[in-house]
Amino acid sequence: VELRSKKTVRINLYHAPGAGGTTVARRLLWEFHTLAPCAILHKTEPLVTAERLSRLTAITGQSLLLVIDGARIAERQIDELYDQVRSRLIPVTVLQILRRFHAQQEDKRAYYLPSTLSPGEAYRFVEIFGRERPDRKTALEALNTLGDPRHRTAFYFGLETFESDFKGLEPHVAARLEGLTPTQRKIIGY
């Protein structure tokens, strides 16, 4: 609906670390890529980026879906870019992904994705990952029913299923270490 309106819109997807907010955003891009131009913004100079977005929407004649990961770009820069795009009436729907440790106020254009899965979601993870790795199904069922409820997350199901081959561990740890001071890194190393 937002893409069809040809307005400048900002949607915030807040998520707990490890909840899969970035994955959800990328999945949304994939789902919408045949309906509208889509892009992921990795860095920005707000004035230059706004001009480029203007050209993209002019060339395609459509609204653009733009994903911005708040872990990569400072909120101040995102705010400045949004103000530039909005003041020029560029038809862009900005999906801003923001990590938060606590639930955020939800409203019409702000959503929070918790890290802990609902019982139904956890059951689907057990079923799907269990088909992928039948030898790990018992461990997955135990994680779902016996384990600490705080570990009932997509991250832990992936770790339990794929063990050392799990591709999410390195990026997960790197994201937690990003932005630490040298002293904090030294403390973590012990």
Side-chain angles (χ1 to χ4, degrees), residues 25 29 36-42 53 56 64-68 93 95:
L29 281 181
C38 297
I40 298 174
L41 190 65
H42 294 288
L53 293 173
L56 281 171
L64 175 82
L65 177 57
L66 180 67
V67 169
I68 303 175
T93 297
L95 177 56

Side-chain angles (χ1 to χ4, degrees), residues 3 7 19 21 24 26 32 35 78 95 99 105 108 123 140 147 163 165 180 189:
L3 287 169
K7 293 180 181 176
V24 167
R26 288 175 181 259
F32 283 98
L35 304 173
I78 298 169
L95 177 56
R99 287 187 185 93
Q105 181 74 26
K108 184 178 176 187
Y123 175 78
L140 290 166
E163 299 172 300
D165 292 332
L180 294 180

Side-chain angles (χ1 to χ4, degrees), residues 30-45:
W30 178 252
E31 292 297 324
F32 283 98
H33 85 278
T34 59
L35 304 173
C38 297
I40 298 174
L41 190 65
H42 294 288
K43 62 182 180 176
T44 185
E45 291 179 34

Side-chain angles (χ1 to χ4, degrees), residues 9 11 20 22 29 35 41 43 49 56 58 67 72 74 82 88 106 111 128 131 157 162 170:
V9 177
I11 300 169
T22 303
L29 281 181
L35 304 173
L41 190 65
K43 62 182 180 176
T49 304
L56 281 171
V67 169
R72 292 179 165 263
Y82 183 74
R88 297 179 191 195
E106 290 193 22
Y111 306 92
I128 291 168
R131 282 195 303 265
F157 276 102
F162 301 106
E170 191 172 316

Side-chain angles (χ1 to χ4, degrees), residues 26-126:
R26 288 175 181 259
R27 179 61 191 217
L28 286 170
L29 281 181
W30 178 252
E31 292 297 324
F32 283 98
H33 85 278
T34 59
L35 304 173
C38 297
I40 298 174
L41 190 65
H42 294 288
K43 62 182 180 176
T44 185
E45 291 179 34
L47 291 171
V48 174
T49 304
E51 183 57 38
R52 289 177 179 174
L53 293 173
S54 178
R55 275 189 263 151
L56 281 171
T57 58
I59 290 168
T60 64
Q62 295 182 292
S63 292
L64 175 82
L65 177 57
L66 180 67
V67 169
I68 303 175
D69 190 337
R72 292 179 165 263
I73 300 174
E75 282 190 65
R76 177 187 50 77
Q77 286 185 301
I78 298 169
D79 291 342
E80 189 178 332
L81 173 62
Y82 183 74
D83 289 344
Q84 286 291 325
V85 170
R86 195 165 126 207
S87 69
R88 297 179 191 195
L89 303 174
I90 302 169
V92 175
T93 297
V94 175
L95 177 56
Q96 183 175 348
I97 312 305
L98 300 155
R99 287 187 185 93
R100 296 291 187 264
F101 287 95
H102 303 288
Q104 302 294 300
Q105 181 74 26
E106 290 193 22
D107 63 30
K108 184 178 176 187
R109 293 193 176 115
Y111 306 92
Y112 182 74
L113 180 63
S115 61
T116 306
L117 301 172
S118 71
E121 291 168 330
Y123 175 78
R124 286 192 297 273
F125 267 85
V126 169

Side-chain angles (χ1 to χ4, degrees), residues 135-173:
D135 59 312
R136 304 295 303 154
K137 185 152 186 184
T138 302
L140 290 166
E141 288 169 343
L143 177 62
N144 187 27
T145 57
L146 306 174
D148 184 338
R150 293 174 299 170
H151 293 162
R152 205 168 296 130
T153 67
F155 173 79
Y156 276 104
F157 276 102
L159 187 59
E160 186 65 51
T161 303
F162 301 106
E163 299 172 300
S164 62
D165 292 332
F166 181 53
K167 302 286 189 248
L169 187 57
E170 191 172 316
H172 182 77
V173 172

